[in-house]
Amino acid sequence: MPNKLLDLFHGSPENLQAASVEIKMRPEVQAVVLAAGPGMRMTALTATSPKCLLPLATLPMLAFPLHLLQRAGLEEATVVVAAGEEVRVSKVVEQCGLTINVDSAPVNTSTDPGTADSLRHILHKIKRNVDDVVIVSSDLVTDVKLQDVLDFHRAHGSTLTALTAPLTPPQHQPAPGPRTKPFTSSDVMVTESESGRLVLVVAGGDYDHTLTLPSVRSSKAPLLVSTSLLDAHLYIVKRSILEQCLAKESACQDMGSFKAEILPYIVSRQFQPHNKETGPDEDFESLVSQYNTSVVVSRHHTSASFSAITCYAYKHQGLCVRVNTIPTYWDINRRMYSLIDKVLPGLSEPRRHPSAQIHEKAQVSEDSVVGAGTLVSEKTNITSCVLASHCRVDPMARLSNSVLAHHTAITSGCVVENSLVRASLNHKCVLKNCIVTDSSRIQEGKTYINEILEATPEFV
Amino acid sequence: MAPKVEVHEEPSVLQAVVLTECDIDYGAAITHYNPKVLVPLANTPLLDYTLAWLERCGVDEVIVYCRANPHTDKIKQHCKRFTSRREECGIKVMVVVSEDCLNLGDAMRDLYSKSLLKDDFILLQGDLVATLNLQDIVAKHKENRLSDKSMIMTCVYVNKPLETTAVEGEEGRGKEVTATLVTAADTGKLLLHRRSRNKSSKISIPTELFQASSDLLTYPAAYDPSLAICSEVVPSLFSDNFDYGSRDSLLRGVIEQEELLGYSIRCQVVQEGYACRASTLQQYQRVSGEVMRREAYPMVCESSLTSHRIRYTYDPFTTTYWEPSAKFTKGNGGASEAVVGAGTEVDAGAILTASVVGDHCTLADGVIANAAFIMNNVQIKSGCELSHCYIGDDVVLEKGVVVSSGCVVGPGVRLGPDVTIPPGTQLVAQPPHHHAPSTHPHDDFDETARVKEADPSICGSKGKAFILLPEESDQDDDDEEEESSDDGRSSGPDEGDSEDALMMMSDDEHSENEFRREVQESLTNGMRKKSAAENMVLEINASRHAYNVSMEDVLTTVTQGILRAGQTQKQDGSTEPTWPGINTALKCFADVLRNYVRKGRDQLLVLNAIEKLMVDSPEYLPATQKILFNLNQTFEILEGEVIIHWYKKGGAGTTAFTTIKTSIAQFIEWLEKDSEDDDDSDDESS
């Protein structure tokens, strides 16, 4: 042994290298990205593409949560995807220049699995030596620093930390397509106003005439009952509790949704008596808390005599959007020009890709985004638009306030206003407030207003 | 002439209304001799704390509002003394006396009719000890009022954990002194106000409140010091709504009828400063301790609140305060958290903890006083043990007296030697019925304890003391007035102990009791005047609306009231329930009762009401069978089947049921037979 130690100090470079490998720290968190969602609230768009690959500006949606994780120094993420999409998903990384390793785990979406089912499916992939699991939805666009949330989680000795942010209405309205009523029933989150401790979580509309708060009378802090808080679907959960809840014999075994069922369950368990985890070192823990009154709850005292489960909400004041409806998708796309530096800092994706060919006689406004390989011909007028990669805008086309998906061709003479175009416009037409996903629905010289032009389902 | 000058002067007057007839008092053993607001707390009358605080907060004019009673002059003189020390520019105190003021609502209506209130004013109770920064609160109130004209009142709450400072021997404390509040997070507008009644502290929030505000701040148990900043609309609102009795009823009314009235109430939950009402004796004890521990700084024991001179010496190490003239025999080190008044002698062997001793007392060797509040000129001889009790002026405790917790020893009482006073006893020096009319208009506690001679088994051989029966509540006093033949057992098996006796009453209970009293009065009068049933119903319904009582409670009250109305006067003046009397009452009011009994469930309620009456007044027991028989057969209010069903289900499940069961077994048997016969006859006919 002494010899070996000496080797370490005086030894050859090989030995030093070996030492540096050994002191590499074990990962404390593992990330799971839930990207198998079908996008039920935006079926017009997800009929042709999985939700997680819908482009936000020029990048697929999935790149945003992955970059969020990468920014926090995570090296690996498990991505749950719908079966059959795993190849496309794993391409996202190289396509966007991310360095994070993606381990895609396909789930069979034919049975319409919930988020909890997805998690159960990949439970075996969660390493035994991590403390916490970060669960993030693929549709999250935020400028939060995950590191801050992780620090908050650890500092509070939290069992579960949920990222929340003030709910902000879309800035760009109206969204294209027919007028629909906004989705109203919002989540109810009850937190202790100062500490941010989560007291109650009720998923949208899942309440009656009254809402019963659990008894937390010992606390002095008033409770903030909020319906204006967005649950960003980013959770940091202790691995132990996640495994408990996902285990076969657990009370949650029939729960399908993590957010609507398992999260409220974990939160409610805080206030049930005897929620102590009985672990092998409980005796020790009780001794510690008995004799060392200065013990502060932290992650090192998971099963101290304090209530074992404590859930917190991290209240982020910045940008936090879930892109799960057409209005939010529309809004975030339109805002992407100003947001891209905030939500993807350091990712070199310029607003005008160098490979884009913009004719010098084309008028492209400053606040437009132009993707790689996109060709903008002369005498076109493009204001406040998002043109994804490999689009083609023919001469004499006029685009304003619109979003074009990848590989969209706009034939000459088209006028597109406030529309979402996901298929080539091969005929001259006028679009106002429309969503186009099927080019065969476009007829020459026609004007469309407030319509969804999508492929007609076969059974009609 | 010079209106401009007036304009400048008028708005600067900040008024405060101090109610001295606080909603709850300390029991007749204390308040009979001294009004509650003049009871000394750490040797300073409670009212002085309030006045001193208001003065410091820049209040210009204080209206001390009291009900006309023998203590009024004392309060007047006290206020005069307080202000006489101040110069012209000091605080003005005006004592307003009213003949018939039962609650806060009455006081507001009276002040409104006298138009004494000019602008925004502070409304508080006279037993409040507080150091909150009123100026900030009032400024914020005015600011809010400027931006929102519909806002008429700011209620002030203190957010502090009550549990952590719980005083020993107190159960269920804080349940009426706290409120559950739901406010709009952005404006502080009060959306829901609820008195947390039961211990299960789950709060349910109506989800419709989300329409009013997307973010609600919920205070599960905010301490309510009964402090409010009111605009001039509040008194007018009280006078428009005669059924508003308390501030709570105003809150309820304004919140429920927001659309109708167009008013709103805001809350300020204060985090800093001290505020606590010495509302009950338990709270009195708690506030005493907190004042001694200097939580109400700058109102501390050593400085006189009237003259601001330093009157006591203060030892921060043991938290003891003593007047320089107090004598401690050498070597006394047994005091911690104690206040000792002028000229008091404390022997070396006496141990004082968390206690207050007034002026000119003597505490002999071996006296142990824990949380004892000893007034002036008290002699306590060796070996006495006092804990959590109140000892009035001029009390003499002979050797070896043990005063248990919750006891109140009224002025002039002698006790001992070697007696133990059971917990929660109230003792007075004179036989209770010799008292001049006390603070309560209803409680000339005459017949309740007609013992002329002091009972040595209670107060010891040298003693002179009479037990004052615990007043459960106003209602029980009334009951005792009405029936009174019974000797204290009427307190009921579950209510006799000290805690309940000293427990305060919530407003709901209060209004229920008031309702009961009114119904009883109506019925008694109606019987005398032989009023028509419709008029009686009208009268009862009017009371019902005034107090907002549920139909079920009405039925229970009416049933019991009818039976109580049937008491007959005995020769010695007391009353006794006899069958002939009850029978006439039943005959008289059968139609009234019938009016309220509409469905089968109502019949059960009547039966339960009768059973509950037996719990309170077992002397009705012999008549039960006859009552039921008549209600069933003569008046046909109760159906036989219902009675049998009720009987088999075990009645209302009170303690009285077993005795009732035996006494009506015969009747039930007969009924069962009767119904079988009926069935038979039905069969035959069909």
Side-chain angles (χ1 to χ4, degrees):
Chain A
M1 282 302 278
N3 278 340
K4 270 196 169 177
L5 272 176
L6 276 176
D7 277 352
L8 263 180
F9 288 110
H10 309 285
S12 55
E14 293 93 320
N15 275 339
L16 276 178
Q17 208 168 15
S20 73
V21 169
E22 268 169 45
I23 59 169
K24 184 183 171 186
M25 283 160 104
R26 70 182 170 92
E28 291 179 331
V29 284
Q30 180 167 2
V32 177
V33 182
L34 298 175
M40 292 302 285
R41 276 170 278 189
M42 44 205 295
T43 45
L45 306 180
T46 52
T48 51
S49 150
K51 178 175 127 182
C52 65
L53 296 179
L54 284 176
L56 295 177
T58 56
L59 295 170
M61 204 185 270
L62 182 61
F64 291 80
L66 286 177
H67 191 252
L68 177 76
L69 298 169
Q70 186 183 309
R71 289 205 300 273
L74 288 165
E75 292 171 352
E76 199 183 26
T78 308
V79 181
V80 183
V81 291
E85 303 290 350
E86 54 267 37
V87 182
R88 281 171 76 186
V89 163
S90 46
K91 269 191 184 161
V92 165
V93 176
E94 46 181 301
Q95 193 187 332
C96 307
L98 296 167
T99 55
I100 193 165
N101 291 324
V102 167
D103 172 23
S104 39
V107 290
N108 183 2
T109 47
S110 61
T111 54
D112 194 16
T115 44
D117 299 319
S118 298
L119 286 170
R120 269 182 214 111
H121 185 72
I122 54 110
L123 190 59
H124 66 277
K125 292 201 173 199
I126 291 172
K127 296 183 188 69
R128 303 289 304 170
N129 60 353
V130 297
D131 294 329
D132 300 306
V133 180
V134 178
I135 301 172
V136 56
S137 168
S138 66
D139 54 11
L140 175 66
V141 176
T142 176
D143 61 353
V144 77
K145 285 199 182 95
L146 183 62
Q147 190 61 52
D148 292 348
V149 190
L150 281 165
D151 290 347
F152 177 90
H153 175 78
R154 289 164 181 158
H156 285 77
S158 173
T159 312
L160 186 149
T161 304
L163 173 68
T164 63
L167 201 60
T168 46
Q171 290 177 5
H172 294 276
Q173 281 175 317
R179 297 281 160 267
T180 47
K181 275 189 186 167
F183 183 69
T184 44
S185 64
S186 48
D187 301 340
V188 180
M189 290 193 135
V190 183
T191 52
E192 274 180 15
S193 65
E194 278 145 44
S195 62
R197 183 164 175 181
L198 267 178
V199 171
L200 184 74
V201 174
V202 182
D206 199 2
Y207 49 76
D208 281 335
H209 297 301
T210 56
L211 200 68
T212 306
L213 307 186
S215 51
V216 276
R217 276 207 136 169
S218 55
S219 101
K220 173 184 168 177
L223 302 176
L224 182 66
V225 184
S226 184
T227 54
S228 67
L229 220 49
L230 171 87
D231 176 5
H233 287 222
L234 185 150
Y235 310 106
I236 303 172
V237 195
K238 274 201 191 310
R239 178 185 50 81
S240 54
I241 196 83
L242 185 68
E243 281 176 353
Q244 255 183 45
C245 289
L246 297 176
K248 279 230 165 63
E249 63 278 10
S250 135
C252 323
Q253 59 169 326
D254 295 328
M255 295 184 182
S257 161
F258 185 81
K259 189 250 145 63
E261 292 172 276
I262 293 186
L263 174 67
Y265 170 76
I266 295 176
V267 170
S268 70
R269 274 204 32 205
Q270 292 179 97
F271 305 104
Q272 279 162 14
H274 323 297
N275 71 352
K276 282 181 195 166
E277 295 168 63
T278 42
D281 39 18
E282 200 188 32
D283 289 339
F284 172 73
E285 298 285 2
S286 65
L287 283 176
V288 167
S289 58
Q290 189 179 343
Y291 291 106
N292 186 357
T293 48
S294 64
V295 171
V296 177
V297 206
S298 77
R299 64 189 164 124
H300 301 297
H301 292 98
T302 44
S303 56
S305 63
F306 309 92
S307 105
I309 298 181
T310 46
C311 303
Y312 286 89
Y314 180 88
K315 291 180 182 171
H316 179 54
Q317 290 305 322
L319 175 85
C320 208
V321 181
R322 287 200 62 219
V323 186
N324 56 358
T325 60
I326 288 176
T328 48
Y329 179 76
W330 175 249
D331 184 52
I332 208 76
N333 258 307
R334 296 285 315 282
R335 288 165 70 192
M336 199 45 87
Y337 175 81
S338 53
L339 294 179
I340 195 131
D341 289 334
K342 275 202 229 162
V343 296
L344 290 178
L347 196 69
S348 59
E349 186 74 8
R351 292 178 184 119
R352 272 198 206 162
H353 202 273
S355 64
Q357 298 172 30
I358 302 172
H359 196 275
E360 48 195 32
K361 281 194 180 166
Q363 288 185 357
V364 180
S365 73
E366 269 304 304
D367 56 348
S368 296
V369 179
V370 183
T374 290
L375 182 77
V376 181
S377 308
E378 76 276 10
K379 291 184 185 168
T380 52
N381 193 334
I382 296 173
T383 41
S384 307
C385 286
V386 174
L387 311 183
S389 45
H390 307 291
C391 293
R392 196 192 74 221
V393 184
D394 287 349
M396 311 296 284
R398 218 171 67 222
L399 307 176
S400 64
N401 302 332
S402 294
V403 175
L404 270 58
H406 298 298
H407 305 286
T408 315
I410 308 290
T411 197
S412 58
C414 282
V415 177
V416 181
E417 279 176 30
N418 209 52
S419 292
L420 188 56
V421 183
R422 297 183 47 72
S424 296
L425 304 182
N426 299 327
H427 303 282
K428 190 181 162 188
C429 60
V430 176
L431 293 177
K432 278 182 187 169
N433 288 344
C434 286
I435 300 174
V436 183
T437 58
D438 184 17
S439 46
S440 62
R441 294 279 306 275
I442 303 286
Q443 291 172 9
E444 181 79 29
K446 277 221 165 182
T447 300
Y448 302 91
I449 297 173
N450 295 341
E451 274 187 78
I452 297 182
L453 304 165
E454 56 184 332
T456 328
E458 282 157 23
F459 53 81
V460 176
Chain B
M1 304 298 182
K4 273 187 180 174
V5 180
E6 276 176 24
V7 168
H8 277 290
E9 278 176 4
E10 281 283 324
S12 64
V13 176
L14 181 58
Q15 289 178 308
V17 176
V18 178
L19 302 177
T20 61
E21 303 300 328
C22 307
D23 32 15
I24 355 116
D25 66 19
Y26 295 153
I30 297 175
T31 53
H32 181 71
Y33 302 94
N34 214 1
K36 181 183 178 184
V37 289
L38 296 186
V39 170
L41 183 134
N43 290 344
T44 304
L46 275 172
L47 189 59
D48 285 2
Y49 288 94
T50 310
L51 293 178
W53 172 56
L54 292 175
E55 184 183 31
R56 191 173 309 108
C57 292
V59 173
D60 304 289
E61 194 179 305
V62 178
I63 295 173
V64 176
Y65 193 88
C66 39
R67 194 197 300 161
N69 62 36
H71 298 318
T72 314
D73 283 339
K74 273 191 184 173
I75 294 176
K76 273 186 181 161
Q77 280 166 17
H78 185 87
C79 292
K80 212 177 219 172
R81 271 205 300 276
F82 188 90
T83 45
S84 66
R85 300 215 177 228
R86 270 92 181 130
E87 298 298 318
E88 269 301 295
C89 56
I91 190 167
K92 288 192 187 70
V93 179
M94 187 203 301
V95 180
V96 176
V97 184
S98 137
E99 289 296 329
D100 49 349
C101 160
L102 294 170
N103 51 34
L104 186 143
D106 292 339
M108 285 287 104
R109 284 183 273 273
D110 187 36
L111 288 173
Y112 180 71
S113 64
K114 289 176 178 158
S115 56
L116 287 167
L117 300 168
K118 285 155 195 121
D119 195 11
D120 292 351
F121 63 95
I122 301 153
L123 179 62
L124 70 159
Q125 300 280 349
D127 53 5
L128 177 66
V129 177
T131 61
L132 307 178
N133 188 342
L134 256 186
Q135 272 154 330
D136 282 1
I137 295 168
V138 173
K140 206 168 163 198
H141 167 84
K142 297 207 177 215
E143 193 181 298
N144 286 336
R145 204 161 147 61
L146 276 180
S147 60
D148 179 6
K149 286 281 173 226
S150 72
M151 199 273 285
I152 55 163
M153 181 157 87
T154 302
C155 291
V156 181
Y157 295 88
V158 180
N159 197 18
K160 61 178 174 183
L162 281 168
E163 276 74 8
T164 53
T165 47
V167 180
E168 193 189 325
E170 265 183 72
E171 282 173 29
R173 196 180 53 89
K175 73 176 181 183
E176 279 94 2
V177 295
T178 60
T180 302
L181 309 174
V182 177
T183 62
D186 45 350
T187 58
K189 181 179 157 190
L190 185 63
L191 300 174
L192 185 94
H193 174 269
R194 209 177 273 158
R195 293 285 171 192
S196 12
R197 324 208 81 196
N198 45 358
K199 286 215 144 184
S200 78
S201 44
K202 285 193 175 166
I203 314 153
S204 53
I205 297 177
T207 43
E208 61 187 22
L209 293 182
F210 292 134
Q211 286 161 10
S213 171
S214 61
D215 291 306
L216 311 173
L217 260 188
T218 306
Y219 297 87
Y223 177 75
D224 179 10
S226 303
L227 175 66
I229 321 297
C230 306
S231 71
E232 69 281 358
V233 180
V234 172
S236 73
L237 205 57
F238 268 109
S239 71
D240 289 349
N241 297 276
F242 275 92
D243 54 332
Y244 287 178
S246 59
R247 203 187 72 182
D248 281 9
S249 58
L250 176 80
L251 290 182
R252 193 166 43 208
V254 169
I255 293 171
E256 278 174 7
Q257 307 175 39
E258 196 196 331
E259 280 142 36
L260 197 69
L261 295 170
Y263 291 131
S264 66
I265 291 168
R266 294 211 183 173
C267 281
Q268 284 192 38
V269 182
V270 184
Q271 307 284 352
E272 286 185 4
Y274 178 83
C276 194
R277 277 184 66 193
S279 49
T280 59
L281 276 179
Q282 278 99 346
Q283 291 288 0
Y284 171 86
Q285 180 188 332
R286 176 173 175 217
V287 177
S288 284
E290 285 168 353
V291 167
M292 278 190 264
R293 288 192 295 274
R294 309 175 81 75
E295 286 181 33
Y297 187 86
M299 291 195 281
V300 284
C301 307
E302 72 261 30
S303 67
S304 157
L305 294 179
T306 39
S307 63
H308 300 303
R309 80 185 160 86
I310 300 295
R311 52 175 190 165
Y312 292 158
T313 314
Y314 167 52
D315 175 13
F317 187 65
T318 55
T319 327
T320 40
Y321 306 81
W322 66 91
E323 155 81 2
S325 66
K327 282 179 205 151
F328 292 87
T329 320
K330 261 188 187 163
N332 185 300
S336 67
E337 272 190 33
V339 179
V340 178
T344 289
E345 286 178 41
V346 181
D347 191 88
I351 297 171
L352 286 173
T353 45
S355 297
V356 178
V357 185
D359 298 342
H360 308 293
C361 299
T362 46
L363 273 72
D365 182 35
V367 170
I368 300 172
N370 175 31
F373 301 94
I374 301 163
M375 300 296 123
N376 302 329
N377 304 320
V378 175
Q379 284 182 50
I380 301 176
K381 300 200 174 150
S382 60
C384 287
E385 282 180 35
L386 316 172
S387 80
H388 302 278
C389 56
Y390 176 97
I391 312 287
D393 289 339
D394 308 310
V395 168
V396 179
L397 301 185
E398 300 288 343
K399 284 178 186 174
V401 175
V402 178
V403 184
S404 318
S405 60
C407 286
V408 175
V409 182
V413 167
R414 287 180 79 93
L415 288 176
D418 299 313
V419 288
T420 300
I421 311 298
T425 317
Q426 298 205 16
L427 295 170
V428 285
Q430 283 86 31
H433 70 287
H434 283 154
H435 288 169
S438 71
T439 49
H440 284 250
H442 303 299
D443 70 357
D444 34 347
F445 18 69
D446 36 9
E447 283 97 0
T448 52
R450 271 166 291 135
V451 203
K452 298 284 191 292
E453 293 302 319
D455 184 354
S457 66
I458 297 166
C459 58
S461 51
K462 292 186 193 167
K464 180 168 179 272
F466 301 89
I467 291 185
L468 186 62
L469 287 170
E471 311 161 55
E472 260 89 72
S473 57
D474 287 355
Q475 176 251 331
D476 281 18
D477 292 345
D478 300 337
D479 286 355
E480 274 161 26
E481 264 193 340
E482 306 281 351
E483 45 187 75
S484 67
S485 60
D486 136 356
D487 50 356
R489 275 181 298 147
S490 66
S491 50
D494 52 338
E495 294 182 318
D497 59 326
S498 63
E499 239 100 43
D500 281 354
L502 298 168
M503 202 78 84
M504 48 195 284
M505 241 191 325
S506 77
D507 284 313
D508 274 11
E509 280 170 53
H510 185 77
S511 67
E512 249 166 56
N513 291 333
E514 283 291 308
F515 169 71
R516 232 172 273 176
R517 197 176 54 78
E518 271 192 19
V519 168
Q520 190 67 63
E521 259 171 30
S522 316
L523 287 171
T524 319
N525 287 341
M527 188 152 151
R528 206 171 49 235
K529 293 179 194 159
K530 301 262 179 294
S531 309
E534 304 89 73
N535 297 344
M536 290 306 305
V537 170
L538 216 58
E539 218 168 300
I540 292 166
N541 282 350
S543 312
R544 170 173 117 79
H545 287 299
Y547 293 102
N548 196 14
V549 181
S550 73
M551 258 344 255
E552 288 171 23
D553 288 341
V554 174
L555 189 53
T556 309
T557 311
V558 168
T559 311
Q560 295 185 351
I562 291 173
L563 296 180
R564 287 213 161 112
Q567 295 167 128
T568 42
Q569 293 274 329
K570 275 205 300 195
Q571 276 148 358
D572 60 350
S574 72
T575 57
E576 188 190 42
T578 55
W579 172 241
I582 295 171
N583 198 21
T584 27
L586 280 177
K587 257 186 217 157
C588 199
F589 297 121
D591 287 334
V592 177
L593 191 59
R594 197 170 288 129
N595 175 67
Y596 288 102
V597 180
R598 282 170 191 157
K599 38 187 197 281
R601 220 175 123 260
D602 295 341
Q603 299 184 22
L604 286 179
L605 286 174
V606 171
L607 287 164
N608 288 344
I610 295 173
E611 183 181 330
K612 278 177 198 141
L613 179 71
M614 303 301 160
V615 176
D616 292 340
S617 336
E619 66 278 3
Y620 280 96
L621 199 59
T624 321
Q625 184 153 307
K626 287 179 186 161
I627 295 170
L628 291 187
F629 179 82
N630 271 24
L631 285 174
N632 173 232
Q633 293 295 313
T634 318
F635 305 116
E636 294 177 345
I637 291 172
L638 302 181
E639 287 165 31
E641 280 168 40
V642 176
I643 297 178
I644 294 168
H645 174 80
W646 174 79
Y647 180 81
K648 288 197 173 143
K649 289 271 171 179
T654 60
T655 45
F657 185 72
T658 40
T659 45
I660 294 175
K661 199 174 170 178
T662 45
S663 72
I664 63 168
Q666 216 185 337
F667 173 58
I668 298 290
E669 205 176 296
W670 179 80
L671 266 181
E672 274 172 340
K673 199 164 146 267
D674 193 44
S675 66
E676 273 164 31
D677 290 353
D678 275 3
D679 289 349
D680 291 349
S681 59
D682 285 355
D683 290 345
E684 279 159 28
S685 63
S686 60

